[in-house]
Amino acid sequence: MLLGCKSKTDKTEETRLPRIAIAGIGIESSTFSPAQTHEEAFHARIGDSIFSRYPFFNAGTAIRKRAEWVPTLLGKSLPGGIVTREAYESMVKKTLKMLKENGPYDGLFFDLHGAMSVVGLQDAEGNLIKRVREVIGTDVLISTSMDLHGNVTKTLAEHSDLITCYRMAPHEDALESKARAITNMLDRLESGKGKPKFKAWVPVPILLPGEKTSTRIEPGKSLYAKIPAIEQLEGVIDAAIWMGYPWADEARNHGVVVVTGDDKEQVTKAAENLAKAYWDVRKEFEFVAPVATLDESLQLALASEATPYIISDMGDNPTAGGAGDVTWTLRELLNRPEFKSETGPSLIYASIPGPELIAAALKVGLGGKVSAMAGAQVDDRFAPPLKLEGTVTAIREGDRDAKVEVVVKIGSISVIVTDKRKPYHQEADFTDLDLNPRESDIVVVKIGYLVPELYEMRGDWIMALTPGGVDQDLERLGYENIKRPMFPLDKDMKDPDLSARLIKSSNQLN
Ligand SMILES: [Zn+2]
């Protein structure tokens, strides 16, 4: 079968555009949450509808014109619990079928997150890329693009010819990273250079929560700032640092550095330098904002003049893989005397899933009184479902994630209740519900570090160490499968072997 770009040797194909497939399944999923993720959560796009996920693929853009694109399946889910085997196999089957039917290819843009846990698998992305290789062959250039909170096993590195990840957390450079993965691949195919000659992979035994490794502050900032200069070196194509994902209990969960290029010595040296730089600053990573118990956080917020005082309800952050329906924090808030009266300090709570309450609210309508249960359908380990009794002040239908959103006013607290879980990250998420977070005294949101819009809005901010599937106190999680020793769980561990492992390409494996 004809595979790969033959333009170097075959004169008749000299001017043809490379044929590049697009595929990917992405999620960050916690094995410490009782939640499970099903296929519909991935909102899988098939064929041309995939282009609209990437502004750089709009008709007429430079990237779009450089290849004949073959979009297959792209599934992207909000973070959640472990993916069911049925959901995974179903999406893999569809992907492989489309890849098989539409080949051959010169390249594949493989768009992953990298922290997908699947029932029965220890390296889901490694399993996926191996199966993709079996279909498209080993000559095709695969360029893998990931989140820096993903994990890179040797298998994933072997089958990826180019592999990179974001360089910013929060991920303001997500699209830029994907575009880089694509242009690096296009450059290799157009120049006829093909696969990079060398890939240096260095596992770094560090496992930290994202809330400690933001690139907005040190030492993450300076560590990632080393990358652009490395990328400029002769013989180096790309360099990437993965922080790894701490809320899954798999042997692959740890930091990794990968550098790709054609100059063996530069690639090796660059990877080892980056890995050592990462190891050397390991003890300097701290939470990106003050951290306290919920009680302490509320005392600070109530005493503060700054508004809105944002409190991160961290332990159940759905965007890190929490179930998003833990009621522990909301129960504490509703029990506080300060918020019992309507004239108390205004507080917005975002958010709690509660289909029963949604149904009741739709029945009584805007301004009506409701009394129904909400929360703890998935994760009831820390508190049971809560009865919410109050006035319906907003109803909104049609959100992609939440389906239906309702605001219930209980004392001075406005509780956002959703049909399905949804992260509240944008100002519009609140204003669409007639809530004004800027004028609220306190905003409590299920999130870890604040995304840029909330960060800019904050009067002040504290991260509350609340319980849930993405508990920030990693010692409480009870790992069984991750490699040991691992920093910071094994605080006094010896310096690890940070020499670069040169990884063979898939076409050199047998
Ligand atoms: Zn991430």
Side-chain angles (χ1 to χ4, degrees):
M1 191 167 30
L2 171 80
L3 285 169
C5 191
K6 302 290 184 194
S7 52
K8 282 289 271 185
T9 51
D10 185 344
K11 284 256 186 263
T12 60
E13 294 193 29
E14 207 157 27
T15 55
R16 83 171 166 87
L17 292 174
R19 288 194 92 229
I20 301 178
I22 305 169
I25 304 175
I27 184 175
E28 185 173 73
S29 46
S30 168
T31 62
F32 294 106
S33 154
Q36 288 208 325
T37 302
H38 301 278
E39 188 171 357
E40 60 273 16
F42 287 85
H43 301 280
R45 291 169 186 239
I46 303 280
D48 286 349
S49 65
I50 288 172
F51 288 128
S52 59
R53 260 201 85 103
Y54 308 98
F56 52 74
F57 271 141
N58 287 343
T61 57
I63 284 185
R64 184 75 179 259
K65 287 185 197 161
R66 286 174 70 180
E68 181 194 340
W69 301 97
V70 186
T72 62
L73 180 144
L74 185 74
K76 294 276 170 167
S77 169
L78 286 177
I82 192 164
V83 179
T84 66
R85 192 60 181 260
E86 295 73 25
Y88 173 74
E89 292 298 335
S90 167
M91 288 185 286
V92 173
K93 214 170 124 189
K94 288 174 196 163
T95 304
L96 298 182
K97 184 170 182 280
M98 291 186 76
L99 284 172
K100 199 176 283 179
E101 286 171 358
N102 295 288
Y105 312 100
D106 301 300
L108 168 68
F109 169 50
F110 198 44
D111 187 7
L112 305 176
H113 177 287
M116 170 165 62
S117 300
V118 174
V119 174
L121 295 177
Q122 283 287 306
D123 176 19
E125 284 83 0
N127 174 278
L128 178 59
I129 199 168
K130 260 171 94 169
R131 291 164 74 178
V132 164
R133 271 287 179 213
E134 282 164 16
V135 169
I136 66 173
T138 54
D139 290 338
V140 176
L141 199 159
I142 297 184
S143 184
T144 302
S145 165
M146 296 171 68
D147 187 301
L148 64 85
H149 299 117
N151 311 295
V152 183
T153 56
K154 210 171 156 207
T155 305
L156 182 58
E158 270 167 2
H159 290 282
S160 302
D161 298 299
L162 285 162
I163 185 164
T164 194
C165 66
Y166 308 154
R167 295 167 181 176
M168 294 174 84
H171 308 315
E172 294 164 69
D173 67 331
L175 280 167
E176 192 186 311
S177 293
K178 292 170 200 284
R180 183 176 69 247
I182 292 173
T183 46
N184 282 343
M185 168 171 55
L186 287 165
D187 290 347
R188 299 298 293 192
L189 292 171
E190 288 166 356
S191 65
K193 287 181 184 161
K195 301 191 179 216
K197 291 199 181 93
F198 299 99
K199 256 178 304 193
W201 174 80
V202 191
V204 184
I206 299 178
L207 197 52
L208 295 165
E211 282 65 18
K212 286 186 174 176
T213 54
S214 167
T215 61
R216 282 204 193 118
I217 56 165
E218 296 300 347
K221 193 173 174 180
S222 296
L223 178 61
Y224 278 83
K226 292 180 190 300
I227 294 177
I230 290 173
E231 202 181 39
Q232 294 307 310
L233 294 170
E234 190 70 29
V236 171
I237 300 168
D238 195 275
I241 306 168
W242 283 262
M243 286 291 168
Y245 179 68
W247 295 292
D249 191 11
E250 295 167 351
R252 63 177 187 161
N253 293 97
H254 52 75
V256 166
V257 168
V258 180
V259 178
T260 46
D262 291 328
D263 184 316
K264 187 176 175 181
E265 200 185 320
Q266 291 282 35
V267 164
T268 305
K269 208 170 68 187
E272 289 177 352
N273 286 345
L274 272 183
K276 185 167 185 305
Y278 183 8
W279 181 251
D280 287 347
V281 296
R282 69 192 179 284
K283 291 180 179 161
E284 294 166 32
F285 290 100
E286 297 285 352
F287 281 115
V288 297
V291 169
T293 64
L294 179 66
D295 190 50
E296 290 162 350
S297 303
L298 283 167
Q299 284 177 29
L300 288 167
L302 288 164
S304 171
E305 298 278 297
T307 60
Y309 200 109
I310 301 183
I311 299 176
S312 295
D313 178 4
M314 276 201 296
D316 186 34
N317 172 14
T319 54
D325 79 338
V326 173
T327 55
W328 187 89
T329 302
L330 181 56
R331 187 187 65 179
E332 297 291 309
L333 295 173
L334 293 172
N335 284 340
R336 302 275 304 208
E338 296 92 339
F339 307 111
K340 294 273 186 200
S341 136
E342 271 196 39
T343 54
S346 57
L347 185 150
I348 298 173
Y349 185 77
S351 59
I352 196 86
E356 194 184 315
L357 188 131
I358 292 280
L362 289 173
K363 210 178 250 175
V364 300
L366 210 56
K369 303 265 184 224
V370 277
S371 170
M373 304 304 282
Q377 284 200 320
V378 177
D379 196 344
D380 62 357
R381 295 173 295 169
F382 311 99
L386 273 183
K387 183 176 247 184
L388 300 183
E389 288 188 273
T391 309
V392 178
T393 63
I395 298 177
R396 181 168 176 265
E397 298 186 60
D399 184 78
R400 178 187 192 261
D401 298 308
K403 307 295 180 204
V404 186
E405 301 160 278
V406 159
V407 178
V408 183
K409 189 86 189 284
I410 306 168
S412 64
I413 301 180
S414 295
V415 182
I416 302 175
V417 184
T418 59
D419 191 20
K420 305 262 187 237
R421 71 204 178 97
K422 169 187 171 174
Y424 284 76
H425 289 180
Q426 314 300 330
E427 191 164 3
D429 293 333
F430 296 90
T431 54
D432 284 350
L433 297 169
D434 294 328
L435 296 170
N436 188 342
R438 287 181 190 273
E439 282 174 15
S440 185
D441 294 316
I442 304 173
V443 176
V444 181
V445 57
K446 283 187 188 288
I447 198 170
Y449 55 61
L450 297 183
V451 294
E453 269 199 44
L454 294 182
Y455 185 76
E456 296 310 326
M457 184 199 293
R458 82 204 185 286
D460 207 339
W461 170 35
I462 193 157
M463 302 200 295
L465 280 165
T466 53
V470 289
D471 198 319
Q472 296 284 335
D473 185 349
L474 300 186
E475 314 245 356
R476 291 198 293 213
L477 290 172
Y479 294 107
E480 288 175 2
N481 299 315
I482 61 164
K483 287 191 183 126
R484 304 299 283 258
M486 181 75 68
F487 185 85
L489 299 167
D490 302 297
K491 281 181 183 53
D492 302 319
M493 62 182 283
K494 279 192 277 178
D495 286 345
D497 173 13
L498 296 176
S499 58
R501 284 68 149 172
L502 286 168
I503 303 284
K504 285 185 176 170
S505 275
S506 53
N507 55 352
Q508 298 163 333
L509 299 168
N510 42 27

